[in-house]
Amino acid sequence: MPGAVSGHSHRPTTKTSNKPFKSRHATKSSIRNAAKGKVAEERGVRKTPHQQVMSKFDRRNRNKQLQLQKHKEHLQETSIFTGKDGAPRNVAVIPLCSDGDAAEAIKSLNASIDIETEVPQGAFRVPVDRFKQKLQYFPLKRDLTACLDAARVADYVVLVLSAQEEVDELGELILRSVESQGLSTLFTVVQGLNKIEPQKQRLSVISSLKSYITHFHPEQEKVFSLDNRQECSNLMRSLCSTTPKGIRWRDERSWMLVEEVKFGESTVLTGVVRGKGLKADRLVQVGDWGTFQVEKITAAPLARRKRGEEGMNVEEGAEEILDQPTEDRDDLVDLAPEEVRMEDDDDEMNDGMTTMTTSKKGVLLDDHHYFSEDEPEAYTAPKKLPKGTSKYQAAWYLDDDVSDSGSDMEEDDEMEDDEEEEARPEDGEEGLAGYAPTEAGGTEYPQTEGGFIQPDAEEDAMQLEAYRNQKRDEARDDLEFPDEIELHPNVLARERLAKYRGLKSLRSSPWQEDEDRAYQPEEWERLLKIQDYQASKIRAAREALVGGVAPGTRVHVYLKDVPATIQQSYNPSQPVTLFSLLRHEYKKTAVNFLINLSADAAAPIKAKEELIMQCGPRRFVINPLFSQGGNTPNDVHKYCRFLHPGQSAVATFMGPVTWGAVPTLFFKRQVPGSVLNEDGEPVSNLPLTLVATGTALPPSTSRVVAKRAILTGHPYHIHKKIVTIRYMFFNREDVEWFKALPLWTRRGRSGFIKEALGTHGYFKATFDGRINPQDSVGVSLYKRVWPRNAKQLGGPLLDVTGIQQAQQEVDEDAMDAE
């Protein structure tokens, strides 16, 4: 094999690559054509403007600063507990079972780290020298009000379960309520595990309790046993070292757990300031006592010991004034001055005089009273035009000249789509099916071509009663036939529905507020009106960030004008909390709350039914209006007569402002055992149940809650698109009054009243398509409903004594039955 050099090749001589010619004067067009659409891109260039500005060193430095800032914030959160004058960690111990004992649970926890103290009633401090911390326990009994108040200001909540007894209705009510109002760091313990025999069953009891508590709180990984010293010691370490996660709405305000109350010329509350700085200019909400002004805030340091010449002497700290009210102090006036209302009333009187001079011959439709002029005009339906027809061309189309050829027909008025909820025919233009041309051939529906024959009065009444007997049961009818009402034949509809008006579209038609001023509440014009809720909320929250007594300071808060009845009803064993209200949070306005009714609820909630609402630190007795949520162009929302299980609505009433999305609880009082399930068994034996939860929404006095009334009629005679309707009205005058209102059917057809027939309320109507004889014809009317005032709740949520007496009566009845 001849030898050859590996990898050697001759340079080709036939191909030469000369250096290309480059012109210094190439045109922009030639350069663009040569690029062929490509964009010159340098490798390594950062895409975002932020990356272009910062170098690698700057980015490392920035990340380091963020890390240091986060560490600083963590130290600031925990620094309130450090030092000799640090704030104690609030621990609320809540028993959920009937045999649970919070005092014994606290003794077991303290004994695990060799601390022996007596457990008094109310809040008390325990110094933990091993971890250099201070714990402030609050042992509780199974009282719903006390548990909610203590958990509201607790850094840690310890739930006490029993190894022998199950959690009953009261315990589950406490658990659900505490969870729904906002809960900080949670721990779960079990009591009496050593009493379980044989010993092998203890693991199954622990796993069962863990399965129960993880159903409500999935983050609970362990259930501590109070009979195990090592587990109690681990729990004490967690209580002293874990950073509480806090509650957002609580941390935006200043708050404190009251340790001591002194009554006298001025009521003095003693405690440690937490959250934001406490200001004397802001109002304070003290439990269920009410809202008060602050006279002054003074320092209240704990007694210290210093070594003297003759051993240990006790020296009381001098009382120092930390904050006093200024000219910017909030007052306890919840409504605007009366002078403002008088000026508004004068303007309304002038407007009213002008309105009353005009005679009205028809119902209000959108912003106009049709047929109210001297010469009544006939109502004209919107023209049916081919697609693409301009306004100028539309004038040249007569109603009879439009072709019925098919699908190129459209309404002259544009429809506005609603993405939030599908519109229904009773909502107006959005829910209609559109124009459907009538075929020229025969029809299977009954027709009439002769004149109208007046029916017999007795026969007509019997047919009406048979027609209406098909629908009964108020709550069930609200689901099947929402908003439908039935008029008595002897009642004039124009008088019965005098406050109602018509709307072409519930979502977009304008709402004339001048028509409602005669029916609005007396204090409506004096309510707080918020133009920009978001800006006002941010301004109020930023005010709380600066100034005031620093968190972690033990203070005396002097309250002004506390009623003497509070001293008589004060119970030292019940927790007392103090919350500083943000600016304007005492002023009254039309407030809105999102309310969610669980799908497992036993019964629907009727609007204007009495409920007990807890929002943040305040509780009210309310009679709310329910309305649909969402944003509409005209800010009009349909009133809901019932809130059915699984539904959500907006609850509206007149009450004080609440800034931010604060969780809300809705309770309902009831007779024990009165509510039954599908099997006929009582749902609850408690006089109070948690029926719904919710969140605070932005308040608004311009939000219109419109109650809808639907009058339905039955097609009597059908002749193509002309239909004779009965059972909607019962006299000719009512037909003439409501003549301007648009008609609709359940299947989406739309029409209008053409003329009245006879004297019994029959009328002839024209529709945009052929209707079915089984279809019902309706007309929608709306009136504005006004929210009611809220009252502050006085007394506890649940009367424990009453529950025990009711339980004894149930047991005695059971024994007698046996």
Side-chain angles (χ1 to χ4, degrees):
M1 181 177 179
V5 180
S6 175
H8 175 75
S9 61
H10 291 282
R11 178 179 297 176
T13 58
T14 57
K15 295 182 179 180
T16 58
S17 58
N18 298 324
K19 184 177 181 181
F21 174 76
K22 295 182 179 179
S23 173
R24 293 178 57 188
H25 305 287
T27 61
K28 294 180 181 180
S29 59
S30 61
I31 295 175
R32 186 169 58 251
N33 294 334
K36 297 181 180 179
K38 298 178 182 179
V39 179
E41 189 174 315
E42 298 181 8
R43 298 185 63 182
V45 176
R46 298 179 180 89
K47 300 292 188 294
T48 64
H50 181 67
Q51 290 178 337
Q52 294 176 5
V53 173
M54 298 184 66
S55 62
K56 185 176 182 180
F57 175 79
D58 292 337
R59 282 185 277 116
R60 283 183 176 179
N61 186 36
R62 179 176 176 273
N63 293 336
K64 184 178 181 180
Q65 289 177 352
L66 292 176
Q67 184 180 8
L68 293 175
Q69 180 67 19
K70 187 175 182 180
H71 180 65
K72 183 179 178 181
E73 292 176 358
H74 176 71
L75 292 178
Q76 188 175 1
E77 291 177 357
T78 57
S79 64
I80 193 173
F81 303 121
T82 59
K84 296 181 179 180
D85 297 330
R89 297 171 181 256
N90 299 330
V91 182
V93 184
I94 302 176
L96 296 182
C97 303
S98 58
D99 61 344
D101 192 345
E104 290 297 327
I106 294 174
K107 289 181 180 179
S108 300
L109 293 176
N110 291 339
S112 65
I113 53 176
D114 302 327
I115 297 177
E116 294 185 4
T117 57
E118 295 295 330
V119 181
Q121 292 184 347
F124 67 98
R125 291 193 181 195
V126 174
V128 184
D129 296 334
R130 178 183 295 187
F131 303 112
K132 298 180 181 180
Q133 292 291 325
K134 294 181 288 295
L135 297 180
Q136 185 166 358
Y137 292 105
F138 206 109
L140 297 163
K141 297 181 180 180
R142 301 207 313 158
D143 183 3
L144 178 60
T145 305
C147 293
L148 287 174
D149 291 343
R152 189 189 298 158
V153 294
D155 297 309
Y156 309 95
V157 176
V158 179
L159 299 179
V160 181
L161 300 176
S162 174
Q164 296 175 320
E165 297 288 338
E166 295 182 353
V167 179
D168 56 2
E169 292 182 4
L170 179 57
E172 188 168 338
L173 174 62
I174 293 174
L175 178 59
R176 291 181 181 275
S177 302
V178 168
E179 175 192 9
S180 300
Q181 78 168 356
L183 190 63
S184 188
T185 307
L186 177 68
F187 295 100
T188 308
V189 299
V190 57
Q191 203 171 38
L193 189 62
N194 286 348
K195 298 179 181 179
I196 300 297
E197 295 295 340
Q199 189 175 357
K200 294 181 179 179
Q201 293 183 359
R202 297 176 184 176
L203 291 178
S204 63
V205 171
I206 288 290
S207 61
S208 176
L209 294 176
K210 183 179 177 181
S211 175
Y212 174 80
I213 198 63
T214 52
H215 174 72
F216 298 95
H217 300 277
E219 75 279 0
Q220 292 294 294
E221 299 178 353
K222 184 175 180 58
V223 177
F224 297 89
S225 174
L226 294 178
D227 298 327
N228 189 323
R229 183 183 178 91
Q230 183 61 41
E231 291 188 5
C232 290
S233 178
N234 293 338
L235 179 56
M236 291 294 290
R237 179 184 296 274
S238 299
L239 292 175
C240 295
S241 60
T242 305
T243 302
K245 64 179 183 180
I247 305 173
R248 181 174 179 180
W249 69 265
R250 181 184 72 180
D251 296 337
E252 292 176 350
R253 296 161 174 82
S254 179
W255 57 274
M256 75 176 188
L257 174 62
V258 177
E259 303 173 7
E260 184 182 359
V261 180
K262 292 181 180 180
F263 294 97
E265 296 181 359
S266 297
T267 303
V268 183
L269 307 182
T270 304
V272 179
V273 178
R274 299 289 303 277
K276 299 294 186 287
L278 180 61
K279 299 181 181 179
D281 288 334
R282 302 283 83 84
L283 301 175
V284 293
Q285 176 73 26
V286 183
D288 290 333
W289 296 4
T291 307
F292 304 97
Q293 289 179 318
V294 178
E295 286 187 359
K296 60 180 178 179
I297 303 174
T298 61
L302 292 171
R304 295 183 179 180
R305 296 179 180 268
K306 72 174 185 178
R307 189 176 302 276
E309 296 178 355
E310 298 181 358
M312 302 294 290
N313 297 330
V314 179
E315 179 185 358
E316 294 286 346
E319 187 169 305
E320 175 189 358
I321 297 178
L322 300 179
D323 195 13
Q324 286 183 322
T326 62
E327 297 179 354
D328 195 28
R329 179 183 194 175
D330 292 340
D331 53 17
L332 291 173
V333 178
D334 56 352
L335 294 173
E338 190 73 21
E339 293 79 8
V340 178
R341 183 171 176 268
M342 292 297 294
E343 294 177 0
D344 295 339
D345 288 346
D346 294 340
D347 297 338
E348 294 174 14
M349 287 290 292
N350 296 333
D351 296 340
M353 293 295 293
T354 306
T355 307
M356 292 298 294
T357 55
T358 305
S359 60
K360 300 175 183 177
K361 298 181 181 179
V363 67
L364 176 65
L365 178 60
D366 286 354
D367 55 351
H368 186 68
H369 283 275
Y370 290 86
F371 311 119
S372 295
E373 290 77 10
D374 296 335
E375 297 180 359
E377 298 178 1
Y379 175 79
T380 57
K383 290 183 178 181
K384 312 302 183 297
L385 304 172
K387 291 184 178 180
T389 305
S390 64
K391 293 183 179 179
Y392 175 77
Q393 294 171 334
W396 295 91
Y397 281 89
L398 300 179
D399 294 340
D400 298 334
D401 293 341
V402 179
S403 172
D404 292 341
S405 57
S407 61
D408 64 337
M409 313 305 293
E410 66 175 0
E411 294 286 345
D412 195 18
D413 299 330
E414 296 181 357
M415 300 183 184
E416 182 179 0
D417 296 333
D418 190 351
E419 300 179 358
E420 297 180 359
E421 184 179 354
E422 185 178 356
R424 306 174 69 175
E426 56 265 30
D427 293 337
E429 297 175 350
E430 293 87 350
L432 300 178
Y435 173 72
T438 305
E439 299 293 337
T443 174
E444 58 181 342
Y445 301 137
Q447 303 179 7
T448 176
E449 298 179 359
F452 175 73
I453 303 175
Q454 186 74 24
D456 182 63
E458 295 182 0
E459 182 182 355
D460 194 38
M462 294 175 59
Q463 294 177 2
L464 173 63
E465 183 66 21
Y467 175 71
R468 288 183 172 178
N469 282 336
Q470 302 172 2
K471 301 177 291 183
R472 286 296 179 262
D473 187 4
E474 187 178 10
R476 187 176 300 174
D477 286 352
D478 187 68
L479 276 176
E480 299 179 3
F481 313 101
D483 306 317
E484 287 192 18
I485 64 172
E486 295 178 351
L487 295 176
H488 193 274
N490 298 328
V491 176
L492 298 179
R494 59 186 180 279
E495 295 181 359
R496 166 71 172 80
L497 305 174
K499 299 180 183 179
Y500 286 79
R501 70 184 69 186
L503 292 178
K504 293 180 181 179
S505 171
L506 177 62
R507 292 170 171 82
S508 59
S509 293
W511 186 276
Q512 292 295 322
E513 297 185 359
D514 296 339
E515 298 283 335
D516 303 322
R517 293 189 177 179
Y519 312 107
Q520 68 185 16
E522 294 182 358
E523 65 269 25
W524 187 260
E525 294 298 332
R526 300 175 60 191
L527 296 178
L528 178 66
K529 294 178 175 56
I530 304 173
Q531 302 297 332
D532 190 345
Y533 171 80
Q534 195 68 19
S536 301
K537 185 193 75 170
I538 294 175
R539 190 181 304 111
R542 287 179 178 175
E543 284 184 355
L545 297 175
V546 294
V549 180
T553 308
R554 193 170 186 269
V555 296
H556 294 306
V557 180
Y558 290 77
L559 301 182
K560 184 179 179 182
D561 299 333
V562 178
T565 56
I566 292 179
Q567 182 178 358
Q568 301 173 0
S569 61
Y570 172 64
N571 185 1
S573 63
Q574 299 291 326
V576 179
T577 61
L578 181 146
F579 278 82
S580 178
L581 302 180
L582 300 178
R583 187 185 289 273
H584 306 306
E585 277 197 324
Y586 185 73
K587 295 180 179 179
K588 188 181 293 185
T589 186
V591 292
N592 302 309
F593 290 87
L594 177 66
I595 178 172
N596 303 311
L597 185 60
S598 174
D600 301 331
I605 304 176
K606 190 175 182 179
K608 302 179 183 179
E609 191 173 12
E610 182 177 285
L611 300 175
I612 298 176
M613 188 201 72
Q614 174 182 306
C615 180
R618 297 182 285 196
R619 298 187 183 99
F620 302 100
V621 179
I622 62 174
N623 300 88
L625 304 177
F626 297 146
S627 60
Q628 294 179 348
N631 297 323
T632 57
N634 55 359
D635 205 10
V636 176
H637 306 267
K638 191 184 82 68
Y639 169 79
C640 302
R641 290 177 170 84
F642 287 88
L643 180 62
H644 295 278
Q647 292 182 353
S648 299
V650 177
T652 305
F653 58 92
M654 287 190 290
V657 178
T658 300
W659 299 116
V662 180
T664 309
L665 309 180
F666 296 91
F667 299 94
K668 181 181 178 182
R669 289 173 176 160
Q670 63 183 13
V671 178
S674 60
V675 181
L676 304 178
N677 56 15
E678 296 179 355
D679 299 332
E681 299 177 354
V683 177
S684 175
N685 292 320
L686 298 177
L688 188 81
T689 56
L690 177 65
V691 293
T693 59
T695 310
L697 298 176
S700 174
T701 55
S702 60
R703 188 178 189 272
V704 177
V705 179
K707 183 177 182 179
R708 179 162 63 192
I710 296 178
L711 299 178
T712 57
H714 181 67
Y716 184 53
H717 287 159
I718 300 176
H719 179 67
K720 294 184 178 180
K721 294 189 295 183
I722 300 177
V723 184
T724 301
I725 309 296
R726 65 175 178 175
Y727 298 157
M728 183 179 292
F729 305 107
F730 300 98
N731 57 77
R732 187 181 186 90
E733 291 76 12
D734 287 343
V735 177
E736 297 294 340
W737 177 267
F738 294 102
K739 191 175 181 180
L741 297 179
L743 303 176
W744 50 265
T745 68
R746 292 294 183 190
R747 307 194 181 196
R749 300 269 66 87
S750 63
F752 61 93
I753 298 176
K754 190 173 183 181
E755 61 177 336
L757 301 175
T759 59
H760 288 192
Y762 287 58
F763 61 89
K764 188 180 294 185
T766 302
F767 288 88
D768 60 352
R770 191 175 56 188
I771 70 172
N772 193 296
Q774 304 301 323
D775 206 351
S776 61
V777 180
V779 61
S780 299
L781 294 162
Y782 301 90
K783 78 167 182 178
R784 184 172 186 176
V785 288
W786 303 94
R788 299 185 180 183
N789 268 315
K791 302 177 183 177
Q792 184 172 349
L793 177 66
L797 289 170
L798 261 178
D799 188 1
V800 181
T801 306
I803 296 175
Q804 294 175 354
Q805 293 178 355
Q807 187 65 32
Q808 292 177 0
E809 294 176 359
V810 172
D811 296 339
E812 292 175 358
D813 294 340
M815 292 177 63
D816 295 340
E818 293 177 358

